[in-house]
Amino acid sequence: MRTIDWRDGHIVLIDQTRLPGGVVEVAINSVEELVIAIQRLAVRGAPALGAAGALGAALAVRADPARLDRDLAALRAARPTAVNLAWGVDRALRRLAEGPDAVLAEALDVLAEDGVHNRSLGERGARWLTERLEGLVAVQTHCNAGSLACVEWGTALGVVRSLHGQGRLRHVYVDETRPLLQGARLTAWELTHLGVPHTLVVDAAGPTVLARGLADAVVVGADRIAANGDVINKIGTYPLALAAARAGVPFLVAAPESTVDPSVPSGDKVDIEVRDGAELLLWGGSRSAPSGTQALNVAFDVTPADLVTAIVTEDRVVHPARGERPA
Ligand SMILES: CSC[C@@H](O)[C@@H](O)C(=O)COP(=O)(O)O
């Protein structure tokens, strides 16, 4: 089942806020509804946001032409950090002159390519690891870069799935990924369904997992990759990269080419999303900090290129720590 798809003239998506409680599908009939779904993280993860952008553009061009510019601007701006969202909008609009059916066809191509690209980059990432590591491989990951973050298959979890398929995977350590628990709720849910052995740890334990030699590599996805190889991903990725360097284990980033943004020279130029402090201050509806406490809810961080051992995409491997640039 795809995370996001087009059915009977509208978008359907799995509401990720409802997992792991249950798989609940939501129908999206307008750009306005889609923007809300993106902002509340019902659909999330960079490649899935690319698909949402493309399908959202298809919805926009079928609606009232007087709203088109406003709808497209709202869609592009729904979340600022993952470059894939605006990329998906622009990709579908390439065929605007041919009419709404052509825009939809282009959007559906984006969805079809997602699974193909993810399988390819997953295999490339697994090969990169098995050429360097002996025996069974244990992986540490962060956030969710699985099929739920894409249309299907997954990026970092695509690497994990390839390793698992080859009988080369020992274990996956999953950071819970505060404050919205994409690791605990989504990655652990996916790995459970795949029959992949895994262990959940609090985010702060990630560096200790590496220091104790429990994981042989860190494998994560990305929301944006700057031209110099800086990697922008879920907050908490950068500490893992520091710990991986200290422990001498590779830090591997698995992402499609659509996540590379040649227009951004380095990570410090990327708009990092700051979300509502309530996500930190409330826990299951009750306060986790005294009333009046301020919260800074920074949703992403920048891992400098010199800590990124390799980036694998559907087309290539780039080694930023050796000075290679993705763009
Ligand atoms: C293949 S998904 C890569 C990233 O998008 C993922 O690691 C991530 O940081 C997602 O953040 P989210 O806030 O859940 O959209």
Side-chain angles (χ1 to χ4, degrees):
M1 181 182 180
R2 284 175 159 181
T3 298
I4 179 166
D5 212 342
W6 181 266
R7 201 184 297 153
D8 304 329
H10 59 262
I11 298 172
V12 282
L13 52 87
I14 295 175
D15 184 342
Q16 299 189 35
T17 66
R18 305 289 291 272
L19 286 166
V23 178
V24 178
E25 271 192 2
V26 183
I28 301 284
N29 288 290
S30 67
V31 170
E32 220 171 354
E33 286 174 14
L34 181 59
V35 167
I36 292 168
I38 291 171
Q39 289 176 338
R40 70 182 184 86
L41 271 52
V43 58
R44 44 131 318 264
L49 290 174
L55 292 175
L59 270 183
V61 299
R62 291 157 80 95
D64 178 1
R67 297 181 50 105
L68 183 62
D69 288 349
R70 202 172 2 130
D71 277 354
L72 292 175
L75 188 54
R76 280 197 177 89
R79 290 191 76 193
T81 303
V83 67
N84 307 60
L85 176 59
W87 172 89
V89 174
D90 293 338
R91 167 80 189 264
L93 291 179
R94 281 206 307 221
R95 297 184 62 188
L96 182 59
E98 296 170 63
D101 288 347
V103 173
L104 176 59
E106 189 70 20
L108 294 177
D109 281 353
V110 169
L111 271 65
E113 288 165 15
D114 175 275
V116 177
H117 289 166
N118 291 339
R119 281 175 177 80
S120 161
L121 69 89
E123 283 189 11
R124 183 168 280 112
R127 190 162 57 244
W128 190 91
L129 287 170
T130 54
E131 281 170 2
R132 285 159 181 80
L133 299 168
E134 286 179 3
L136 298 181
V137 178
V139 166
Q140 163 113 47
T141 193
H142 189 69
C143 196
N144 172 264
S147 60
L148 290 166
C150 306
V151 178
E152 53 185 313
W153 197 254
T155 58
L157 291 195
V159 176
V160 163
R161 292 173 81 153
S162 289
L163 287 171
H164 188 53
Q166 293 166 21
R168 290 292 306 270
L169 184 75
R170 180 153 52 86
H171 206 81
V172 182
Y173 288 90
V174 180
D175 287 353
E176 61 175 352
T177 316
R178 284 276 292 145
L180 297 178
L181 304 181
Q182 289 93 329
R185 292 189 304 104
L186 308 178
T187 298
W189 183 81
E190 287 196 41
L191 294 176
T192 299
H193 282 271
L194 293 169
V196 171
H198 61 281
T199 298
L200 188 67
V201 294
V202 297
D203 297 340
T208 296
V209 166
L210 295 168
R212 289 189 179 185
L214 297 175
D216 307 299
V218 176
V219 185
V220 293
D223 285 86
R224 198 182 288 241
I225 297 171
N228 71 341
D230 288 351
V231 170
I232 295 82
N233 193 48
K234 177 57 55 189
I235 191 81
T237 303
Y238 174 39
L240 276 188
L242 287 167
R246 174 78 185 202
V249 308
F251 181 87
L252 182 67
V253 177
E257 288 288 337
S258 54
T259 301
V260 178
D261 185 355
S263 76
V264 165
S266 54
D268 57 333
K269 302 288 187 292
V270 173
D271 188 355
I272 301 290
E273 181 179 8
V274 177
R275 293 182 63 83
D276 191 340
E279 291 176 354
L280 269 69
L281 298 169
L282 297 174
W283 184 255
S286 38
R287 281 191 183 287
S288 57
S291 140
T293 301
Q294 307 244 335
L296 173 61
N297 188 8
V298 187
F300 298 93
D301 61 23
V302 180
T303 298
D306 61 283
L307 293 175
V308 179
T309 320
I311 297 168
V312 287
T313 76
E314 66 274 24
D315 292 339
R316 57 190 170 141
V317 184
V318 184
H319 299 94
R322 285 193 218 151
E324 295 174 10
R325 295 171 58 91

